[in-house]
Amino acid sequence: MTPIEKVEGRAIPLGLKNVDTDVIIPAHWLKTTSRDGMGKGAFETLRADPGNLFDQPEYKGAPILIAGDNFGCGSSREHAAWAIGDLGIRVVIAPSYSDIFSGNAVKNGILPVVLPQSAIDRLMEVAQTDPIHVDLDTQTVTTPFQDRFAFEIDPFRKMCLLGGLDEIAITEKSDAAIRAHEDKIAKTQPWLQPAAQ
């Protein structure tokens, strides 16, 4: 997982409320177990409209998405986070998220920033013309116009995102302790060891 500390760039001003995981990635994209290429299906129904925000030149490759309340509601599909990540989005800013989506986002290297609706409204305005800067270390979202919005994040999630650590990488950090425990068990409880073949 790629670490996140600072993300700066244009933000897609989606702003829609109650965007569920079916909108983020339609069900017919769920037949794969690979993350590669999932961005093609991201927001497919919205992108079917020729004037959609996602395919406008000024938002191409935008690393930030600004959404409305209750983003990522609906089914618990991890594919939604895969699709957003494959689209190149590293940060989603919204007033609230589904708990499952928020967890899946962090596990897939996407920072879910929670800000009040007044901040979202201002960022939606700025996103029309200018970049937005998100700093995970200082937990702030800023604009070129001196706007500064502080956000909260669980310390464990922050550590994972700053370090680029998914669940496997976190476990691997304890490799020496795991090996020491296994060696101790092998010596003190040999009957638990598999029989030699």
Side-chain angles (χ1 to χ4, degrees):
M1 192 164 84
T2 305
I4 292 180
E5 183 180 349
K6 293 174 174 51
V7 176
E8 183 171 15
R10 293 299 298 271
I12 301 167
L14 180 63
L16 295 176
K17 295 181 180 183
N18 301 313
V19 173
D20 66 27
T21 52
D22 292 322
V23 172
I24 297 170
I25 188 74
H28 65 270
W29 284 87
L30 305 183
K31 297 174 186 165
T32 181
T33 56
S34 172
R35 301 169 196 214
D36 296 333
M38 293 294 287
K40 290 183 224 163
F43 302 99
E44 183 178 69
T45 54
L46 298 177
R47 292 168 78 189
D49 176 4
N52 78 84
L53 289 169
F54 294 95
D55 296 325
Q56 290 182 12
E58 60 267 37
Y59 300 117
K60 185 171 178 66
I64 302 168
L65 174 68
I66 304 171
D69 200 33
N70 198 28
F71 186 80
C73 58
S75 65
S76 62
R77 61 185 70 161
E78 189 174 16
H79 293 70
W82 293 359
I84 289 172
D86 196 52
L87 196 59
I89 295 169
R90 301 296 316 276
V91 178
V92 179
I93 305 172
S96 67
Y97 299 89
S98 147
D99 287 341
I100 294 173
F101 173 82
S102 180
N104 283 339
V106 171
K107 290 176 185 177
N108 287 281
I110 299 166
L111 170 60
V113 172
V114 176
L115 289 176
Q117 188 62 50
S118 58
I120 298 296
D121 294 341
R122 174 62 181 151
L123 292 173
M124 290 280 291
E125 181 183 336
V126 171
Q128 303 291 326
T129 56
D130 290 276
I132 291 171
H133 182 85
V134 180
D135 188 322
L136 176 56
D137 191 42
T138 63
Q139 295 178 211
T140 56
V141 178
T142 56
T143 74
F145 306 103
Q146 307 307 313
D147 299 294
R148 183 180 181 88
F149 306 107
F151 63 90
E152 295 297 318
I153 185 168
D154 174 81
F156 178 74
R157 286 182 168 189
K158 180 177 180 177
M159 185 238 358
C160 290
L161 288 167
L162 285 171
L165 303 171
D166 60 14
E167 291 168 330
I168 294 170
I170 291 167
T171 303
E172 288 175 340
K173 286 182 77 167
S174 300
D175 186 54
I178 292 168
R179 286 186 192 279
H181 175 75
E182 288 176 342
D183 290 345
K184 178 183 171 187
I185 294 297
K187 290 176 186 168
T188 60
Q189 299 173 338
W191 59 89
L192 295 176
Q193 301 307 306
Q197 301 218 1

